[in-house]
Amino acid sequence: MNIPIKKDGYDPFIDYLKGVSILFVVLTHCLPKQEYLLFSLWGAQAVPLFLLIQVFHAYKKGIDHVRLFFNLKKLFHRILKPFIFLLTIEVGVLLLYGHDLVSVVKDAIIAGGIGPGSYYVWIYIQFFFLLPIVAVIIRRLNRFWCFFGFTLLCVMVEIICSYVHPHPAIYRLLFIRYIYLIYLGYLWVSWGIVINKLTVFLSILSIAFILLFVYGDLNLEPLFYSNAWALCHWITYFYTAYLFIYLLFFIYSLLGKHLKSFCFELGRYSYEIFLLQMFVFAFFPSLDFIGNKYVEVLLRIVLTTVLSIFPVLLYKKYVAIKQ
């Protein structure tokens, strides 16, 4: 079967995927004991899914029509400008709390920002510049050489990193662990999201490796670089691109009108929610004064989730009413 995904016009399913993904991002930063929830098989798939969608949008009009001239103005206003605005506010808050300016700036540069998930902005920007270049290469390759080339490249990256062991702070901000998603996103455009025996087999293989990387105690270097990003290996992304999408599509088909509408809203404003959750988790206070760790955990989950999502939705609704 093929999971329908539109190449022209508005596709509510894409907004649904983005909405679910941004909810997973928030939960990533507040849910405890994730290893007991098999979080690696659902919540931890958020960033790869966002990048797959980015590739799909870049290539959906056809690999021959990818723009070689970058829309830098759109990148600045849509991505960088709000990020810089948020970062300025965060630095100001830290200075008000008595932090040293030099230390704050240094830490922000090393981390790529202030707050969890800041690396994603820089990965997105790297993909923005990389995708048109990769499109030129893909146009020169047939189906076999495209698969072979991407797979070989990713294997080589794993091997090189296994021997070089790049600094974690640098590796965190680099796109290299997500390269294979470009190939899989290209397949979405070229042949659709196809669920057949091959993609199901590859997805199951991915699941096996995900569980091995997360719960196993094996060092598989140099074939797979052992690092803090246990899920970020080319062999784990088949599940993200196929079987996981099928599971989300199945849930999508069961959702009522109101739940779908809520997911669409989350997806439509996913970047704004992403930025707000960075601020929320960076400055959310300790709840130790409550004295009950179970109540503390529950309140933290509820409050951080609400504060990360609903101010954005309420503000956007207010703007829409004023217009």
Side-chain angles (χ1 to χ4, degrees):
M1 66 171 288
N2 274 46
I3 296 175
I5 187 168
K6 294 182 181 179
K7 297 180 185 178
D8 297 304
Y10 173 68
D11 188 349
F13 183 60
I14 290 290
D15 267 348
Y16 161 75
L17 292 179
K18 290 164 63 179
V20 170
S21 295
I22 195 60
L23 179 60
F24 288 165
V25 168
V26 175
L27 293 178
T28 297
H29 301 136
C30 67
L31 275 186
K33 304 293 183 181
Q34 294 179 8
E35 65 274 18
Y36 298 108
L37 303 173
L38 290 178
F39 196 77
S40 56
L41 294 179
W42 52 285
Q45 300 298 322
V47 170
L49 187 49
F50 269 127
L51 293 173
L52 273 171
I53 293 170
Q54 182 183 356
V55 177
F56 174 79
H57 279 310
Y59 291 167
K60 67 180 181 180
K61 292 183 180 179
I63 205 70
D64 295 325
H65 301 283
V66 178
R67 297 181 57 163
L68 294 179
F69 298 97
F70 310 116
N71 193 340
L72 294 175
K73 185 176 180 180
K74 183 177 180 180
L75 175 68
F76 176 75
H77 286 287
R78 176 72 183 113
I79 303 298
L80 273 175
K81 186 178 177 180
F83 177 70
I84 293 170
F85 177 73
L86 170 74
L87 189 57
T88 303
I89 293 175
E90 290 179 319
V91 169
V93 172
L94 288 174
L95 293 180
L96 288 175
Y97 273 92
H99 291 262
D100 176 65
L101 176 61
V102 175
S103 298
V104 169
V105 172
K106 180 181 176 182
D107 291 343
I109 291 174
I110 293 173
I114 298 172
S118 56
Y119 71 91
Y120 171 73
V121 175
W122 304 108
I123 302 295
Y124 180 96
I125 292 172
Q126 290 169 70
F127 263 49
F128 176 88
F129 288 103
L130 186 65
L131 291 176
I133 299 171
V134 173
V136 175
I137 299 172
I138 290 176
R139 283 201 292 265
R140 301 174 182 272
L141 302 175
N142 61 30
R143 189 171 182 176
F144 169 78
W145 284 109
C146 193
F147 162 76
F148 181 78
F150 269 99
T151 305
L152 179 62
L153 174 62
C154 290
V155 171
M156 290 175 60
V157 168
E158 297 271 6
I159 293 173
I160 291 171
C161 287
S162 294
Y163 286 107
V164 174
H165 284 274
H167 192 283
I170 297 175
Y171 185 77
R172 175 177 175 268
L173 297 175
L174 289 178
F175 71 92
I176 55 176
R177 63 184 179 275
Y178 296 116
I179 295 174
Y180 210 68
L181 293 169
I182 298 176
Y183 171 64
L184 294 174
Y186 165 67
L187 291 185
W188 275 17
V189 172
S190 300
W191 293 283
I193 305 177
V194 182
I195 307 299
N196 56 26
K197 290 181 180 179
L198 176 60
T199 56
V200 169
F201 169 76
L202 290 173
S203 297
I204 293 173
L205 183 65
S206 290
I207 291 173
F209 272 95
I210 289 172
L211 296 177
L212 182 64
F213 289 138
V214 175
Y215 298 100
D217 193 24
L218 295 176
N219 187 334
L220 299 180
E221 291 185 350
L223 288 179
F224 297 104
Y225 173 45
S226 180
N227 62 92
W229 303 89
L231 300 181
C232 297
H233 301 282
W234 66 272
I235 203 167
T236 66
Y237 295 136
F238 295 109
Y239 167 69
T240 314
Y242 293 104
L243 189 55
F244 185 57
I245 296 295
Y246 171 76
L247 295 173
L248 291 179
F249 180 72
F250 178 74
I251 295 171
Y252 177 73
S253 66
L254 298 177
L255 291 180
K257 177 182 177 181
H258 296 296
L259 273 177
K260 279 185 179 179
S261 179
F262 178 66
C263 288
F264 297 157
E265 289 290 295
L266 293 182
R268 197 170 295 120
Y269 307 122
S270 58
Y271 187 62
E272 290 85 350
I273 294 171
F274 166 76
L275 293 178
L276 181 57
Q277 67 86 35
M278 284 174 54
F279 180 87
V280 169
F281 285 104
F283 296 101
F284 192 78
S286 171
L287 300 177
D288 291 345
F289 64 91
I290 293 175
N292 185 307
K293 64 178 182 179
Y294 299 105
V295 176
E296 290 174 25
V297 169
L298 181 60
L299 276 178
R300 177 178 170 80
I301 294 171
V302 172
L303 291 177
T304 53
T305 301
V306 170
L307 290 172
S308 296
I309 293 174
F310 285 95
V312 171
L313 300 186
L314 292 174
Y315 173 73
K316 293 294 184 180
K317 191 172 292 292
Y318 169 77
V319 171
I321 293 173
K322 295 293 285 185
Q323 291 177 344

